[in-house]
Amino acid sequence: MTSQSLTPPVLELRNLVVEFVTRHGTLRALDGISLSIAPGEVLGVVGESGAGKSLTGAAVIGLLEPPGRIASGEVLLAGQRIDHLPMEDLRHIRGKRIGTIFQDPLTSLDPLYRVGEQLIETIRTHLPVSEQEARARAIALLAEVGIPASEKRIDGYPHEFSGGMRQRVVIALALAAEPELIIADEPTTALDVSVQAQIIAVLKKLCRERGTAVMLITHDMGVIAETADRVAVMYAGRVIEIGPVRDVVKSPKHPYAKGLMGSIPALDERPERLLQIEGAMPRLTAIPQGCAFHPRCPHVMPRCHEARPVLEAVGAGQVACFLHEVGQ
Amino acid sequence: MTTKPMVSVTHARKVFDVSQPWLERALSGQDKQMLVAVDDVSFAIKKGETFALVGESGSGKSTVARMVTGLLPATSGTFAIDDVPLDPKHGYPLALRRRLQMIFQDPYASLDPRWRVGQIIAEPMKAFGLARNEDEERVRVSHLLKLVGLDPADAVKFPHQFSGGQRQRIAIARALASDADVIVCDEPTSALDVSVQAQILNLMKDLQRDLSLTLLFISHNLAVVRYMADVIGVMYLGRLVEVARVETLFAQPRHPYTRMLLDAVPDLAMTGRSRQPVQGEVPNPISPPSGCTFHPRCPLANSRCQKEVPLMIDGVACHAVQENRKT
Ligand SMILES: Nc1ncnc2c1ncn2[C@@H]1O[C@H](COP(=O)(O)OP(=O)(O)OP(=O)(O)O)[C@@H](O)[C@H]1O
Ligand SMILES: Nc1ncnc2c1ncn2[C@@H]1O[C@H](COP(=O)(O)OP(=O)(O)O)[C@@H](O)[C@H]1O
Ligand code: SF4
Ligand code: SF4
Ligand SMILES: [Mg+2]
Ligand SMILES: [Mg+2]
């Protein structure tokens, strides 16, 4: 699904490095991220907190908070570099070509404006339609995301909506300008499980119908299993495994990905014990040399202390681990 | 039943007054507003078992936990630990208080940042006079730190020097410091990453077995509860809707809400099992639906459900189950 086809990926990251320059020196938060998302594809980005998931999303849309900056590498949207564009151009791309959904709907919605006003404004900024057409579109979109009586609710304020309904409005807003790509950072993390299931279903259905590609960032493997086509697993600012969702979820290859999957309690069985990886994710100030996972890895070898494994093709995916090097 | 329950809760009820201040109410002509956070909740926990409360946000889990521990006065209902009743005015007698401890979700907030870990863990020993002198105290602190997988040398450090999972280990050590045998855990791993959650859940299971602890374990995560619990109580809008042993609940969920919750959990096993789409959201608890409060979301609701609150009979509170009605 990647570079063989003629159409370029919707999104491609090439060796992306993000750094924070602080008093204590330069901290490397993303260390050579390479991945791509094909048109219409949902790429899940998973990992534990601090792995660099949100920074990856923020770097794509030019929303890194200073002193965070892209130190090297490239971000390509439909084959064109966008990482060095001026702020103004990036802001336009953000509304028009890349839609965003965050954990807290109120980061996307202005409490002072009716949801309809916000939708209509987004539609009219990016599409050549009249006020009336925009309103009709907005009502249709709200209905599509599952807001009942949308022709009435369009005139409501964000605080009049429940948490789940607000996140539906945010999805409508993200899709309003018909973007090629949606970046969704923990879109259901704040929601109850029964609401989460509905939001995921809506997001998936609408993006599939429109052929919109999605970068779905979450720490919830269940959400990924249910939604993504491919998954990238992150650890300490690196992608350590990437591949088709079934491979990564059912038979992960990287020792960390294996441990991660085994540590999640399941609904359909009750193991005697959960698989346990000792220790915790390192802090940015103390990322181990070589393979960043080596102090916790049950298979660590002498070379893992010094040399850093890179992503290499294994089966239908890629894994960054010396155990899976060609010829091993 | 031969063994007496270790924890028993009968007809627990908690009503919060959530009215505007008097003056504002007078000006706007509003009535007093009452929120029934917990209503008619009864259950018992056998010694050495884990009873889990699950439910979505606002269903009343924490409120039950706080009433059981005596942290929050109940509006009505009775509570007892090992047959010793909770006195509504004076709480549990001192001898019992030593045996009952609580672990919270947020290991950051529950440990005093100015205290060294050793002092934090020794505090319950001091409070209940369990160590004869400082040497004995130190020995016990070391022992507890080892028990929860930390280093005795950690006693001199401060909480901020530890990760979230390590802080939860400290909270567990403190809970065990007074030789407690009943522990109420409110979302003890919800703030942790899954790999760290696995460490803490495994630790809690080991400790429970080795020390025959009785646990009231609260979580919104059904998979976590499946791993930890012997018996599960499912809550919805302040009421218990189903109580069953863990194997039974997952093999044969009976209440329509339990089934909906199970269907809502993302299918990590990727079995492709068929599931009912989930509908609606939890209503505002200040003005809950009449009758069975689940009726607006329930595929089996009928006119009786809109009027009559179903009673808990044989582990389920549902008219359809009791009428053996499938549609
Ligand atoms: N001190 C209080 N004053 C007013 N209402 C309260 C108070 N404490 C809890 N409530 C209300 O009581 C209900 C039950 O709350 P509780 O905290 O027990 O829920 P919970 O099941 O623990 O939810 P969560 O999963 O979010 O922790 C909620 O509607 C809540 O808003
Ligand atoms: N503004 C910042 N200054 C310094 N470090 C930061 C900043 N923002 C994020 N980081 C660090 O970058 C790493 C990755 O963060 P993030 O992408 O938010 O992780 P995730 O979303 O996977 O939980 C973490 O170690 C985090 O502490
Ligand atoms: S490279 Fe070495 S340390 Fe890293 S995951 Fe593979 S075996 Fe473990
Ligand atoms: S009592 Fe009626 S509405 Fe409530 S769960 Fe049972 S069938 Fe559904
Ligand atoms: Mg994040
Ligand atoms: Mg709670």
Side-chain angles (χ1 to χ4, degrees), chain B residues 58-114:
Chain B
S59 57
K61 308 179 294 296
S62 299
T63 305
V64 169
R66 288 160 65 214
M67 290 191 291
V68 169
T69 48
L71 287 174
L72 180 75
T75 305
S76 58
T78 59
F79 304 84
I81 308 289
D82 205 5
D83 261 354
V84 181
L86 170 75
D87 182 303
K89 279 213 185 60
H90 306 104
Y92 294 106
L94 192 68
L96 201 124
R97 251 180 271 162
R98 172 188 72 70
R99 298 176 50 193
L100 174 64
Q101 293 293 328
M102 193 153 174
I103 298 169
F104 298 92
Q105 166 173 353
D106 190 353
Y108 300 83
S110 66
L111 303 174
D112 191 325
R114 292 160 305 176

Short mmCIF file of all heavy atoms in Angstrom, two decimals, chain B residues 58-114:
data_model
loop_
_atom_site.label_atom_id
_atom_site.label_comp_id
_atom_site.label_asym_id
_atom_site.label_seq_id
_atom_site.Cartn_x
_atom_site.Cartn_y
_atom_site.Cartn_z
N GLY B 58 -19.82 8.52 36.89
CA GLY B 58 -21.00 9.06 37.56
C GLY B 58 -21.97 8.01 38.03
O GLY B 58 -23.04 8.33 38.54
N SER B 59 -21.64 6.73 37.90
CA SER B 59 -22.60 5.70 38.28
C SER B 59 -22.66 5.49 39.79
O SER B 59 -23.54 4.82 40.29
CB SER B 59 -22.27 4.38 37.58
OG SER B 59 -20.96 3.98 37.88
N GLY B 60 -21.71 6.08 40.52
CA GLY B 60 -21.79 6.03 41.98
C GLY B 60 -20.76 5.12 42.65
O GLY B 60 -20.79 4.91 43.86
N LYS B 61 -19.81 4.62 41.88
CA LYS B 61 -18.81 3.69 42.41
C LYS B 61 -18.01 4.30 43.55
O LYS B 61 -17.91 3.74 44.64
CB LYS B 61 -17.84 3.26 41.28
CG LYS B 61 -18.53 2.73 40.03
CD LYS B 61 -17.53 2.35 38.94
CE LYS B 61 -16.72 3.50 38.35
NZ LYS B 61 -17.50 4.50 37.61
N SER B 62 -17.44 5.48 43.30
CA SER B 62 -16.61 6.12 44.33
C SER B 62 -17.43 6.50 45.54
O SER B 62 -16.94 6.46 46.67
CB SER B 62 -15.93 7.37 43.77
OG SER B 62 -15.10 7.04 42.71
N THR B 63 -18.66 6.89 45.31
CA THR B 63 -19.52 7.27 46.43
C THR B 63 -19.76 6.07 47.33
O THR B 63 -19.71 6.18 48.56
CB THR B 63 -20.84 7.87 45.90
OG1 THR B 63 -20.51 8.96 45.02
CG2 THR B 63 -21.70 8.39 47.03
N VAL B 64 -19.99 4.91 46.74
CA VAL B 64 -20.13 3.69 47.55
C VAL B 64 -18.85 3.43 48.34
O VAL B 64 -18.87 3.20 49.55
CB VAL B 64 -20.45 2.46 46.66
CG1 VAL B 64 -20.33 1.17 47.46
CG2 VAL B 64 -21.84 2.58 46.05
N ALA B 65 -17.71 3.55 47.65
CA ALA B 65 -16.43 3.28 48.30
C ALA B 65 -16.23 4.20 49.50
O ALA B 65 -15.80 3.77 50.57
CB ALA B 65 -15.29 3.46 47.30
N ARG B 66 -16.55 5.47 49.31
CA ARG B 66 -16.31 6.43 50.39
C ARG B 66 -17.27 6.20 51.55
O ARG B 66 -16.94 6.46 52.70
CB ARG B 66 -16.40 7.85 49.84
CG ARG B 66 -15.18 8.20 48.97
CD ARG B 66 -15.42 9.37 48.05
NE ARG B 66 -15.64 10.60 48.77
CZ ARG B 66 -16.47 11.57 48.39
NH1 ARG B 66 -17.15 11.43 47.27
NH2 ARG B 66 -16.60 12.65 49.10
N MET B 67 -18.47 5.71 51.26
CA MET B 67 -19.39 5.41 52.36
C MET B 67 -18.92 4.17 53.12
O MET B 67 -18.96 4.14 54.35
CB MET B 67 -20.81 5.21 51.83
CG MET B 67 -21.45 6.50 51.33
SD MET B 67 -23.22 6.34 51.00
CE MET B 67 -23.27 5.29 49.58
N VAL B 68 -18.47 3.16 52.39
CA VAL B 68 -18.03 1.93 53.04
C VAL B 68 -16.87 2.21 54.00
O VAL B 68 -16.81 1.68 55.10
CB VAL B 68 -17.59 0.88 51.99
CG1 VAL B 68 -16.87 -0.30 52.65
CG2 VAL B 68 -18.79 0.39 51.19
N THR B 69 -15.95 3.08 53.57
CA THR B 69 -14.79 3.36 54.42
C THR B 69 -15.12 4.35 55.53
O THR B 69 -14.28 4.60 56.39
CB THR B 69 -13.63 3.95 53.60
OG1 THR B 69 -14.16 4.98 52.78
CG2 THR B 69 -13.00 2.90 52.73
N GLY B 70 -16.31 4.94 55.47
CA GLY B 70 -16.68 5.90 56.50
C GLY B 70 -16.18 7.31 56.21
O GLY B 70 -16.30 8.20 57.03
N LEU B 71 -15.60 7.52 55.02
CA LEU B 71 -15.11 8.85 54.67
C LEU B 71 -16.26 9.80 54.37
O LEU B 71 -16.13 11.01 54.47
CB LEU B 71 -14.21 8.78 53.43
CG LEU B 71 -12.83 8.19 53.60
CD1 LEU B 71 -12.14 8.06 52.24
CD2 LEU B 71 -12.01 9.10 54.51
N LEU B 72 -17.38 9.24 53.94
CA LEU B 72 -18.53 10.05 53.53
C LEU B 72 -19.75 9.50 54.26
O LEU B 72 -20.04 8.31 54.17
CB LEU B 72 -18.71 9.90 52.02
CG LEU B 72 -19.86 10.67 51.37
CD1 LEU B 72 -19.51 12.15 51.27
CD2 LEU B 72 -20.15 10.11 49.97
N PRO B 73 -20.45 10.37 55.01
CA PRO B 73 -21.63 9.87 55.71
C PRO B 73 -22.73 9.49 54.71
O PRO B 73 -22.98 10.22 53.76
CB PRO B 73 -22.07 11.05 56.59
CG PRO B 73 -21.36 12.24 56.07
CD PRO B 73 -20.17 11.79 55.28
N ALA B 74 -23.35 8.33 54.93
CA ALA B 74 -24.42 7.90 54.05
C ALA B 74 -25.70 8.64 54.42
O ALA B 74 -25.88 9.06 55.55
CB ALA B 74 -24.62 6.40 54.18
N THR B 75 -26.61 8.78 53.46
CA THR B 75 -27.93 9.32 53.76
C THR B 75 -28.72 8.27 54.53
O THR B 75 -29.41 8.57 55.50
CB THR B 75 -28.65 9.71 52.46
OG1 THR B 75 -27.82 10.61 51.74
CG2 THR B 75 -29.99 10.36 52.75
N SER B 76 -28.61 7.02 54.08
CA SER B 76 -29.17 5.91 54.85
C SER B 76 -28.50 4.62 54.43
O SER B 76 -27.72 4.60 53.47
CB SER B 76 -30.69 5.83 54.65
OG SER B 76 -30.99 5.68 53.29
N GLY B 77 -28.79 3.55 55.15
CA GLY B 77 -28.15 2.27 54.86
C GLY B 77 -27.22 1.87 55.98
O GLY B 77 -26.85 2.69 56.82
N THR B 78 -26.85 0.59 55.99
CA THR B 78 -25.93 0.13 57.02
C THR B 78 -24.70 -0.51 56.39
O THR B 78 -24.76 -1.06 55.30
CB THR B 78 -26.60 -0.91 57.95
OG1 THR B 78 -27.03 -2.00 57.14
CG2 THR B 78 -27.78 -0.32 58.69
N PHE B 79 -23.59 -0.39 57.13
CA PHE B 79 -22.31 -0.87 56.65
C PHE B 79 -21.64 -1.62 57.79
O PHE B 79 -21.74 -1.18 58.94
CB PHE B 79 -21.42 0.31 56.24
CG PHE B 79 -22.06 1.20 55.22
CD1 PHE B 79 -22.94 2.20 55.61
CD2 PHE B 79 -21.81 1.03 53.87
CE1 PHE B 79 -23.56 3.02 54.68
CE2 PHE B 79 -22.42 1.84 52.93
CZ PHE B 79 -23.30 2.84 53.33
N ALA B 80 -20.99 -2.72 57.47
CA ALA B 80 -20.26 -3.42 58.53
C ALA B 80 -19.03 -4.10 57.94
O ALA B 80 -19.04 -4.55 56.80
CB ALA B 80 -21.17 -4.46 59.18
N ILE B 81 -17.97 -4.13 58.75
CA ILE B 81 -16.76 -4.85 58.40
C ILE B 81 -16.58 -5.94 59.44
O ILE B 81 -16.54 -5.63 60.64
CB ILE B 81 -15.51 -3.93 58.42
CG1 ILE B 81 -15.71 -2.66 57.59
CG2 ILE B 81 -14.26 -4.70 57.99
CD1 ILE B 81 -15.72 -2.85 56.10
N ASP B 82 -16.48 -7.17 58.99
CA ASP B 82 -16.31 -8.30 59.91
C ASP B 82 -17.32 -8.23 61.06
O ASP B 82 -16.96 -8.39 62.23
CB ASP B 82 -14.87 -8.30 60.45
CG ASP B 82 -14.45 -9.71 60.88
OD1 ASP B 82 -15.22 -10.66 60.65
OD2 ASP B 82 -13.35 -9.84 61.43
N ASP B 83 -18.56 -7.93 60.69
CA ASP B 83 -19.66 -7.86 61.66
C ASP B 83 -19.62 -6.66 62.60
O ASP B 83 -20.50 -6.52 63.45
CB ASP B 83 -19.72 -9.14 62.52
CG ASP B 83 -20.79 -10.09 62.00
OD1 ASP B 83 -21.52 -9.68 61.07
OD2 ASP B 83 -20.88 -11.22 62.51
N VAL B 84 -18.64 -5.80 62.45
CA VAL B 84 -18.60 -4.59 63.28
C VAL B 84 -19.27 -3.47 62.51
O VAL B 84 -18.81 -3.10 61.43
CB VAL B 84 -17.15 -4.19 63.62
CG1 VAL B 84 -17.14 -2.94 64.50
CG2 VAL B 84 -16.42 -5.34 64.26
N PRO B 85 -20.39 -2.94 63.02
CA PRO B 85 -21.11 -1.94 62.24
C PRO B 85 -20.43 -0.57 62.25
O PRO B 85 -19.72 -0.22 63.18
CB PRO B 85 -22.47 -1.86 62.94
CG PRO B 85 -22.23 -2.34 64.33
CD PRO B 85 -21.06 -3.28 64.28
N LEU B 86 -20.68 0.15 61.17
CA LEU B 86 -20.23 1.54 61.08
C LEU B 86 -21.25 2.39 61.82
O LEU B 86 -22.43 2.37 61.51
CB LEU B 86 -20.17 1.96 59.60
CG LEU B 86 -19.95 3.43 59.29
CD1 LEU B 86 -18.49 3.79 59.53
CD2 LEU B 86 -20.30 3.74 57.85
N ASP B 87 -20.78 3.13 62.81
CA ASP B 87 -21.67 4.02 63.55
C ASP B 87 -21.80 5.32 62.77
O ASP B 87 -20.80 5.95 62.45
CB ASP B 87 -21.08 4.28 64.94
CG ASP B 87 -21.98 5.16 65.78
OD1 ASP B 87 -22.31 6.29 65.34
OD2 ASP B 87 -22.37 4.71 66.87
N PRO B 88 -23.05 5.72 62.42
CA PRO B 88 -23.22 6.90 61.59
C PRO B 88 -22.54 8.13 62.18
O PRO B 88 -22.09 9.00 61.45
CB PRO B 88 -24.73 7.09 61.53
CG PRO B 88 -25.31 5.77 61.89
CD PRO B 88 -24.32 5.09 62.79
N LYS B 89 -22.45 8.22 63.50
CA LYS B 89 -21.83 9.41 64.11
C LYS B 89 -20.33 9.24 64.30
O LYS B 89 -19.56 10.14 64.00
CB LYS B 89 -22.46 9.69 65.48
CG LYS B 89 -23.77 10.44 65.35
CD LYS B 89 -23.97 11.37 66.53
CE LYS B 89 -25.35 12.01 66.45
NZ LYS B 89 -26.43 10.98 66.46
N HIS B 90 -19.92 8.08 64.81
CA HIS B 90 -18.53 7.95 65.23
C HIS B 90 -17.69 7.08 64.31
O HIS B 90 -16.52 6.84 64.59
CB HIS B 90 -18.47 7.38 66.66
CG HIS B 90 -19.29 8.18 67.63
ND1 HIS B 90 -20.51 7.77 68.11
CD2 HIS B 90 -19.07 9.42 68.16
CE1 HIS B 90 -21.01 8.70 68.91
NE2 HIS B 90 -20.16 9.71 68.95
N GLY B 91 -18.25 6.61 63.23
CA GLY B 91 -17.47 5.79 62.31
C GLY B 91 -17.23 4.41 62.88
O GLY B 91 -17.94 3.93 63.76
N TYR B 92 -16.16 3.75 62.40
CA TYR B 92 -15.81 2.43 62.92
C TYR B 92 -15.00 2.59 64.21
O TYR B 92 -14.28 3.58 64.37
CB TYR B 92 -14.96 1.65 61.91
CG TYR B 92 -15.71 1.28 60.64
CD1 TYR B 92 -15.45 1.95 59.45
CD2 TYR B 92 -16.64 0.25 60.64
CE1 TYR B 92 -16.12 1.61 58.28
CE2 TYR B 92 -17.31 -0.10 59.47
CZ TYR B 92 -17.05 0.59 58.29
OH TYR B 92 -17.70 0.25 57.14
N PRO B 93 -15.09 1.61 65.10
CA PRO B 93 -14.23 1.66 66.29
C PRO B 93 -12.75 1.61 65.88
O PRO B 93 -12.42 1.05 64.83
CB PRO B 93 -14.62 0.40 67.07
CG PRO B 93 -15.69 -0.28 66.32
CD PRO B 93 -15.97 0.45 65.07
N LEU B 94 -11.89 2.17 66.71
CA LEU B 94 -10.47 2.29 66.40
C LEU B 94 -9.85 0.96 65.97
O LEU B 94 -9.11 0.89 64.99
CB LEU B 94 -9.73 2.85 67.62
CG LEU B 94 -8.30 3.31 67.33
CD1 LEU B 94 -8.29 4.53 66.42
CD2 LEU B 94 -7.56 3.61 68.63
N ALA B 95 -10.16 -0.10 66.70
CA ALA B 95 -9.57 -1.40 66.42
C ALA B 95 -9.88 -1.85 65.00
O ALA B 95 -9.10 -2.55 64.36
CB ALA B 95 -10.08 -2.44 67.42
N LEU B 96 -11.03 -1.43 64.51
CA LEU B 96 -11.39 -1.84 63.16
C LEU B 96 -10.77 -0.93 62.11
O LEU B 96 -10.40 -1.37 61.02
CB LEU B 96 -12.91 -1.85 63.00
CG LEU B 96 -13.23 -2.75 61.82
CD1 LEU B 96 -14.16 -3.83 62.23
CD2 LEU B 96 -13.69 -1.97 60.65
N ARG B 97 -10.65 0.33 62.46
CA ARG B 97 -10.12 1.29 61.49
C ARG B 97 -8.74 0.87 60.99
O ARG B 97 -8.40 1.07 59.84
CB ARG B 97 -10.05 2.69 62.10
CG ARG B 97 -11.11 3.61 61.50
CD ARG B 97 -11.03 4.98 62.11
NE ARG B 97 -11.87 5.05 63.30
CZ ARG B 97 -11.75 6.00 64.23
NH1 ARG B 97 -10.82 6.92 64.13
NH2 ARG B 97 -12.56 6.01 65.26
N ARG B 98 -7.96 0.27 61.89
CA ARG B 98 -6.64 -0.22 61.52
C ARG B 98 -6.72 -1.23 60.38
O ARG B 98 -5.83 -1.32 59.53
CB ARG B 98 -6.01 -0.89 62.75
CG ARG B 98 -4.71 -1.60 62.47
CD ARG B 98 -4.24 -2.41 63.66
NE ARG B 98 -5.04 -3.61 63.91
CZ ARG B 98 -5.03 -4.69 63.15
NH1 ARG B 98 -4.31 -4.72 62.06
NH2 ARG B 98 -5.77 -5.74 63.44
N ARG B 99 -7.81 -1.98 60.36
CA ARG B 99 -7.91 -3.09 59.40
C ARG B 99 -8.44 -2.66 58.04
O ARG B 99 -8.47 -3.45 57.10
CB ARG B 99 -8.82 -4.18 59.98
CG ARG B 99 -8.27 -4.78 61.26
CD ARG B 99 -9.23 -5.77 61.86
NE ARG B 99 -9.69 -6.75 60.87
CZ ARG B 99 -10.72 -7.55 61.08
NH1 ARG B 99 -11.41 -7.50 62.21
NH2 ARG B 99 -11.08 -8.41 60.15
N LEU B 100 -8.92 -1.43 57.93
CA LEU B 100 -9.58 -0.98 56.70
C LEU B 100 -8.79 0.17 56.09
O LEU B 100 -8.62 1.21 56.72
CB LEU B 100 -10.99 -0.52 57.07
CG LEU B 100 -11.83 0.13 55.98
CD1 LEU B 100 -12.13 -0.88 54.87
CD2 LEU B 100 -13.13 0.66 56.56
N GLN B 101 -8.26 -0.01 54.89
CA GLN B 101 -7.48 1.05 54.26
C GLN B 101 -7.95 1.27 52.83
O GLN B 101 -8.65 0.45 52.26
CB GLN B 101 -5.99 0.69 54.25
CG GLN B 101 -5.35 0.64 55.64
CD GLN B 101 -5.27 2.01 56.30
OE1 GLN B 101 -5.12 3.02 55.63
NE2 GLN B 101 -5.37 2.04 57.63
N MET B 102 -7.52 2.40 52.27
CA MET B 102 -8.00 2.75 50.93
C MET B 102 -6.83 3.11 50.02
O MET B 102 -5.85 3.69 50.46
CB MET B 102 -8.97 3.92 51.07
CG MET B 102 -9.76 4.16 49.82
SD MET B 102 -11.34 4.94 50.17
CE MET B 102 -11.88 5.23 48.49
N ILE B 103 -6.96 2.76 48.74
CA ILE B 103 -5.98 3.15 47.72
C ILE B 103 -6.73 3.90 46.63
O ILE B 103 -7.76 3.43 46.17
CB ILE B 103 -5.28 1.91 47.12
CG1 ILE B 103 -4.52 1.14 48.21
CG2 ILE B 103 -4.34 2.29 46.01
CD1 ILE B 103 -4.05 -0.22 47.75
N PHE B 104 -6.18 5.04 46.24
CA PHE B 104 -6.91 5.89 45.28
C PHE B 104 -6.29 5.83 43.89
O PHE B 104 -5.19 5.32 43.70
CB PHE B 104 -6.91 7.34 45.76
CG PHE B 104 -7.60 7.52 47.07
CD1 PHE B 104 -6.91 7.47 48.26
CD2 PHE B 104 -8.97 7.73 47.11
CE1 PHE B 104 -7.55 7.64 49.48
CE2 PHE B 104 -9.63 7.90 48.33
CZ PHE B 104 -8.92 7.86 49.51
N GLN B 105 -7.00 6.43 42.96
CA GLN B 105 -6.54 6.46 41.57
C GLN B 105 -5.24 7.23 41.41
O GLN B 105 -4.34 6.81 40.72
CB GLN B 105 -7.61 7.11 40.69
CG GLN B 105 -7.08 7.47 39.31
CD GLN B 105 -8.17 7.96 38.38
OE1 GLN B 105 -9.34 7.93 38.70
NE2 GLN B 105 -7.78 8.41 37.21
N ASP B 106 -5.18 8.37 42.07
CA ASP B 106 -4.13 9.31 41.75
C ASP B 106 -2.99 9.19 42.74
O ASP B 106 -3.01 9.79 43.80
CB ASP B 106 -4.69 10.73 41.79
CG ASP B 106 -3.69 11.72 41.23
OD1 ASP B 106 -2.56 11.29 40.97
OD2 ASP B 106 -4.04 12.89 41.08
N PRO B 107 -1.95 8.41 42.40
CA PRO B 107 -0.86 8.24 43.36
C PRO B 107 -0.12 9.56 43.60
O PRO B 107 0.62 9.68 44.56
CB PRO B 107 0.04 7.20 42.71
CG PRO B 107 -0.34 7.13 41.29
CD PRO B 107 -1.71 7.70 41.14
N TYR B 108 -0.33 10.54 42.71
CA TYR B 108 0.35 11.82 42.89
C TYR B 108 -0.30 12.61 44.03
O TYR B 108 0.36 13.19 44.86
CB TYR B 108 0.27 12.64 41.61
CG TYR B 108 0.92 11.94 40.46
CD1 TYR B 108 0.22 10.98 39.73
CD2 TYR B 108 2.25 12.18 40.13
CE1 TYR B 108 0.84 10.30 38.70
CE2 TYR B 108 2.86 11.51 39.10
CZ TYR B 108 2.14 10.57 38.39
OH TYR B 108 2.75 9.89 37.37
N ALA B 109 -1.63 12.59 44.04
CA ALA B 109 -2.34 13.40 45.01
C ALA B 109 -2.39 12.74 46.38
O ALA B 109 -2.52 13.42 47.39
CB ALA B 109 -3.76 13.67 44.52
N SER B 110 -2.27 11.40 46.44
CA SER B 110 -2.54 10.76 47.71
C SER B 110 -1.30 10.63 48.60
O SER B 110 -1.38 10.13 49.70
CB SER B 110 -3.19 9.38 47.49
OG SER B 110 -2.29 8.51 46.86
N LEU B 111 -0.15 11.07 48.12
CA LEU B 111 1.06 11.02 48.96
C LEU B 111 1.54 12.44 49.24
O LEU B 111 1.71 13.23 48.32
CB LEU B 111 2.17 10.25 48.24
CG LEU B 111 1.85 8.82 47.80
CD1 LEU B 111 3.00 8.26 46.98
CD2 LEU B 111 1.55 7.93 48.99
N ASP B 112 1.76 12.76 50.50
CA ASP B 112 2.22 14.09 50.87
C ASP B 112 3.63 14.33 50.31
O ASP B 112 4.57 13.62 50.66
CB ASP B 112 2.22 14.22 52.40
CG ASP B 112 2.43 15.66 52.82
OD1 ASP B 112 3.19 16.39 52.12
OD2 ASP B 112 1.86 16.07 53.84
N PRO B 113 3.77 15.34 49.43
CA PRO B 113 5.06 15.54 48.75
C PRO B 113 6.19 15.94 49.70
O PRO B 113 7.36 15.81 49.35
CB PRO B 113 4.76 16.67 47.76
CG PRO B 113 3.56 17.37 48.30
CD PRO B 113 2.77 16.32 49.02
N ARG B 114 5.85 16.45 50.89
CA ARG B 114 6.91 16.93 51.78
C ARG B 114 7.46 15.83 52.68
O ARG B 114 8.42 16.01 53.39
CB ARG B 114 6.37 18.07 52.66
CG ARG B 114 6.06 19.34 51.87
CD ARG B 114 5.11 20.20 52.65
NE ARG B 114 3.91 19.43 53.00
CZ ARG B 114 2.93 19.90 53.76
NH1 ARG B 114 3.00 21.10 54.27
NH2 ARG B 114 1.87 19.14 54.02
#
